[in-house]
Amino acid sequence: MAVLPILRFPDPKLHTKAAPVLVIDDSIRQLIHDMAQTMYQKPGIGLAATQVDVHKRIAVIDVSEDHNDLRVFINAEIIEKSGECENEEGCLSVPGVTEKVKRAEWVKVRALNEKGEPFELEADGLLAICIQHELDHLDGKVFVQYLSRLKQNRIRSKLLKQREEETSA
Ligand code: NI
């Protein structure tokens, strides 16, 4: 197992659209393990393959307090959604930034688990928000893209400055 490096906004690779997983083999299972370990180590509550520069439709999520409820979503699709809510979101690819984002309050998702078995899941609350956030990543969308141009520019400058300070340190 390994902790993987995470792409940071405004890295253009974060805007790559991920391709469906055709075969769930050992390399995919290894990737899922590594993604989970990376998410727990940060710590975060969700991670999309896009964020570790692998452009396949895989996301891992664990919104439990004790980190014992790992959910794996392969080729996930939101097939129904309803309601609206607005919550503070953050992202491992946008460290140090949280902003309010509007999302559906409830979603029904269809996906494959790590064994390749199809499942459907209805979610609300934090899990619903997290699913929408991670599936956005797989479509190349980072949550800051819901914000005003002004805010996006401010976040972009902040993160570029952060990176500059890290590399010159
Ligand atoms: Ni994120």
Side-chain angles (χ1 to χ4, degrees), residues 104-148:
E105 194 172 34
W106 174 91
V107 295
K108 185 173 182 179
V109 60
R110 181 183 292 156
L112 302 176
N113 66 18
E114 68 277 24
K115 293 176 192 145
E117 299 159 346
F119 68 94
E120 283 185 5
L121 174 74
E122 291 178 34
D124 59 9
L126 185 56
L127 181 58
I129 294 163
C130 195
I131 289 170
Q132 293 170 81
H133 178 117
E134 301 313 329
L135 296 193
D136 270 355
H137 274 303
L138 300 176
D139 287 326
K141 187 162 185 179
V142 180
F143 83 102
V144 300
Q145 291 172 267
Y146 289 103
L147 308 174
S148 68

